[in-house]
Amino acid sequence: MQIKKTKAAILTESHKPLVVDEIDLPDKLDCGQVLVKIHYSGICGAQINEIEAVKGPDKFLPHLLGHEASATVLEIGPGVKTVKNGDTVVMHWRPSAGIQAETASYQWKGCKVNSGWVTTFSEYSIVSENRLTVIPSDFNLKLAPLFGCALTTAMGVVNNDAQVKVGQTVVVFGVGGVGLNIVQAADMVSAYPIIGIDIIEQKLEMAKRFGANYVFNFSNATDLAGEIRKIVGSAGADVIIDTTGNPRVIELAYDLTHPDGRTILVGVPKKGDNVSIYTLPIHFNKILKGSHGGSAIPDVDIPRYIRLVKAGKMKLDGLITHEFKLDDINEAIKIMKSGEAGRVILSMTKR
C-alpha cells in the first residue's frame, strides 16, 4: 500500500485517556478492505461508552475507535465494487452494500492494535467496503460525518422505530447530537407538539430552532411529569424517545407514554444500572423498544438525506458545536462527556 503509517488515537486502557501516536498499517489490503484518507470524524456517545467499558470488560485492548467520518478513497482491495479510488465517502457503523471484510490489524510498538469494520479516530484507516457510502464530491466534508451516525440514527428512530404519524405527540429526553436530529425528524413528519428535555439551556434553545414546540430543563423542573401531561394530555404522549440512557429517565419516559404509545430507547444504561417498570401495559398496546441505529440502511438513506439538505428541507447548520484537532481528542471527549455539546468534530487536517 502507498500509506505505511498513520497517526491514530488508541484506547489502551478502559477509563483512561486515549493515546495519540503513530501506528503501522498492514502491507496490503485483504478482500473487501478499503484504504481511506479521513477528513473529519464525529465523536458519538458510543465511543464514550467504549472508553468507560459500560458493557463490561473490554476484551479487544488496545484498539481504535470512531464510527462516523468523511473521507476519500485511496486504494481498494480485491472484490470491492461499490467504491473506487478518488471517491468521496461517508464512513458509517451500520452495514450497507458491499463486502463485510475481515477487520484490519495495525502494529504499534511491536504490539497488535485491533480495529472494527470501521474506525475513524485516525488520519488514515482501513475499513470494510460495506461501511462506506459514496456522496457528491462537492458536499461539505465537515458536515458529512453527521450522516455516519447522528442524523441517520435520528431519522431512522422516527421513521422506522417510532413510526411517528402526522400530528402525534413526541417527547425527546436528551437533545444532544442525536436528540436534536430526532426533534428535527419529528418536525419533518409533522408531529405536534414536540417537547425537548435536557439539563443544558443552550441545547434547549437549539432544540427550539430545530422544531421543538416546548422545552423543559430537567434539572429545575418542579413537576415535569405534570407539565408534560398538561401539554400532551393526561394519558401521556404518543411517542417518547430517550437518548440519555439514564435508568430514572427511562422509567419516567415509560410512565409518561400513552397506553397505546411507544417508548423508544436510544441511550444505553451502564451495565448493572437496572430499570424498573410495570410491564402489564406491554401485554396490551404499549410498546417499549430499543433502537439499533434507527435500523438505518446507509447506502439507501444517505443519498435521500443529502437531497433534502440540498433542497433546504433538512438543517445541518448549528449541529456541530465544537471542533478539535486529533492531538486534542481527549479534550474533545471531555467536552462530549460534559453534556454541553451538540456534535463534536475532529479535523484530521487541523494543526
Side-chain angles (χ1 to χ4, degrees):
M1 290 195 303
Q2 57 180 296
I3 305 299
K4 305 297 183 184
K5 297 178 180 292
T6 183
K7 182 188 288 186
I10 311 161
L11 178 61
T12 61
E13 188 176 352
S14 298
H15 310 286
K16 298 292 184 182
L18 303 184
V19 175
V20 179
D21 204 355
E22 195 171 70
I23 61 175
D24 297 316
L25 277 67
D27 293 331
K28 63 179 182 178
L29 295 173
D30 286 338
C31 178
Q33 291 182 340
V34 180
L35 174 67
V36 299
K37 175 179 174 58
I38 298 174
H39 303 294
Y40 293 92
S41 171
I43 301 177
C44 179
Q47 283 87 62
I48 307 300
N49 290 345
E50 285 186 84
I51 293 167
E52 298 298 325
V54 300
K55 296 180 181 179
D58 193 328
K59 300 179 290 186
F60 301 102
L61 297 172
H63 64 80
L64 305 184
L65 294 167
H67 67 207
E68 57 176 24
S70 59
T72 298
V73 174
L74 298 184
E75 291 186 42
I76 61 174
V80 173
K81 296 180 179 179
T82 63
V83 300
K84 64 183 184 302
N85 293 357
D87 279 347
T88 303
V89 293
V90 169
M91 303 170 68
H92 44 75
W93 68 273
R94 290 279 301 175
S96 59
I99 298 169
Q100 179 154 299
E102 293 293 324
T103 57
S105 295
Y106 302 84
Q107 291 289 318
W108 177 56
K109 297 182 177 179
C111 298
K112 177 183 176 182
V113 177
N114 295 303
S115 69
W117 291 297
V118 58
T119 57
T120 65
F121 293 173
S122 57
E123 294 177 333
Y124 299 90
S125 182
I126 295 173
V127 58
S128 180
E129 179 189 13
N130 70 346
R131 263 61 176 188
L132 300 173
T133 293
V134 178
I135 62 172
S137 59
D138 62 349
F139 196 81
N140 188 317
L141 293 175
K142 188 182 292 188
L143 296 176
L146 296 170
F147 295 110
C149 178
L151 199 144
T152 45
T153 295
M155 295 292 163
V157 165
V158 170
N159 282 313
N160 303 326
D161 297 327
Q163 299 180 358
V164 177
K165 303 296 189 293
V166 173
Q168 287 192 318
T169 55
V170 175
V171 179
V172 182
F173 282 91
V175 289
V178 174
L180 283 174
N181 281 300
I182 291 173
V183 168
Q184 175 171 208
D187 184 50
M188 291 173 71
V189 299
S190 296
Y192 183 84
I194 302 166
I195 302 173
I197 302 164
D198 208 286
I199 59 174
I200 306 295
E201 285 295 332
Q202 180 183 354
K203 289 161 71 174
L204 293 172
E205 290 301 314
M206 291 176 66
K208 288 191 282 188
R209 295 201 301 272
F210 278 83
N213 307 109
Y214 301 89
V215 295
F216 291 98
N217 191 315
F218 191 92
S219 60
N220 58 29
T222 55
D223 181 17
L224 182 59
E227 292 297 321
I228 291 173
R229 291 187 190 278
K230 285 180 185 178
I231 297 168
V232 302
S234 59
D238 296 310
V239 174
I240 300 191
I241 301 166
D242 174 66
T243 73
T244 71
N246 183 305
R248 306 294 80 80
V249 174
I250 292 172
E251 291 166 359
L252 176 60
Y254 177 79
D255 183 64
L256 284 170
T257 301
H258 190 281
D260 295 326
R262 297 171 294 287
T263 309
I264 310 298
L265 307 183
V266 180
V268 179
K270 293 181 180 179
K271 188 174 183 180
D273 285 356
N274 296 324
V275 176
S276 178
I277 61 170
Y278 179 54
T279 61
L280 180 62
I282 297 176
H283 293 271
F284 294 91
N285 293 325
K286 196 167 188 174
I287 294 172
L288 175 64
K289 182 177 182 179
S291 176
H292 191 246
S295 300
I297 306 174
D299 60 311
V300 174
D301 295 339
I302 290 174
R304 291 193 289 121
Y305 299 153
I306 286 177
R307 288 198 299 272
L308 290 174
V309 172
K310 289 189 172 184
K313 295 180 179 295
M314 181 181 288
K315 302 175 187 176
L316 298 184
D317 292 342
L319 290 172
I320 296 171
T321 58
H322 298 77
E323 180 181 342
F324 293 86
K325 58 185 179 180
L326 181 58
D327 285 331
D328 296 330
I329 189 169
N330 290 306
E331 185 63 28
I333 289 169
K334 188 182 299 183
I335 291 289
M336 272 289 293
K337 291 173 68 175
S338 73
E340 298 177 359
R343 213 50 166 183
V344 177
I345 207 87
L346 298 172
S347 171
M348 300 308 166
T349 57
K350 191 174 183 178
R351 303 299 178 190

